[in-house]
């Protein structure tokens, strides 16, 4: 009876060691795999996430080009705050000025997706 208990204990111990080894190997190899792409032939753009309140010295977006903010003549950019793939641009003045406004620019879509204006609701 004692020999059977020892044999079962030894087998279970070996199974536990093999399982731990397999788990360790799986974790090690999963860290070694390269980043996957969104679909065949297209890659996911890398856009850094900037914590709120910090200004990034440079924001790296592949093939950035230009984005038209479509603001009236004479408008001035007061501040730019990146947040993930969005950029919040504070604009002041212009010919048809309604006061300061915040433009929400989507860097992935390369266009202004919204505008925040302080004022009374009409």
């Amino acid at each position: 009876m004692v020999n059977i208990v020892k044999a079962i204990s030894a087998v279970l111990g070996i199974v536990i060691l093999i399982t731990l080894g397999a788990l360790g190997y799986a974790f090690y190899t999963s860290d070694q795999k390269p980043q996957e792409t969104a679909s065949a032939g297209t890659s996911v753009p890398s856009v850094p996430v900037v914590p709120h309140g910090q200004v990034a010295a440079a924001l790296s977006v592949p093939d950035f080009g230009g984005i038209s903010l479509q603001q009236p003549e004479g408008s001035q950019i007061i501040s730019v705050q990146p947040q993930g793939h969005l950029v919040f641009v504070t604009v002041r003045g212009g010919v048809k000025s309604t006061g300061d406004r915040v433009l929400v620019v989507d860097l992935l879509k390369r266009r202004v997706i919204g505008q925040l204006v302080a004022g009374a609701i009409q």
Side-chain angles (χ1 to χ4, degrees):
M1 180 74 169
V2 174
N3 289 336
I4 295 175
V5 172
K6 287 182 181 180
I8 291 174
S9 298
V11 169
L12 289 177
I14 292 172
V15 168
I16 290 172
L17 289 177
I18 291 172
T19 303
L20 288 175
L23 282 174
Y25 179 75
F27 285 129
Y28 176 75
T29 57
S30 68
D31 287 341
Q32 304 297 322
K33 291 182 182 177
Q35 295 290 334
E36 295 183 16
T37 57
S39 63
T42 62
S43 63
V44 178
S46 174
V47 179
V49 175
V50 179
H52 181 68
Q54 292 184 359
V55 178
L59 184 61
S60 174
V61 177
D63 302 321
F64 183 72
I67 298 174
S68 173
L69 298 179
Q70 300 175 349
Q71 293 300 299
E73 186 177 337
S75 297
Q76 297 176 338
I77 296 176
I78 303 303
S79 70
V80 177
Q81 293 184 333
Q83 184 69 33
H85 69 279
L86 300 177
V87 174
F88 299 91
V89 181
T90 305
V91 179
R92 177 178 293 155
V95 175
K96 300 176 184 177
S97 177
T98 58
D100 290 357
R101 53 210 175 272
V102 177
L103 306 175
V104 182
V105 180
D106 188 326
L107 295 177
L108 299 178
K109 295 179 182 176
R110 293 185 168 90
R111 64 183 180 94
V112 176
I113 60 170
Q115 177 173 309
L116 305 170
V117 179
I121 300 175
Q122 299 179 0

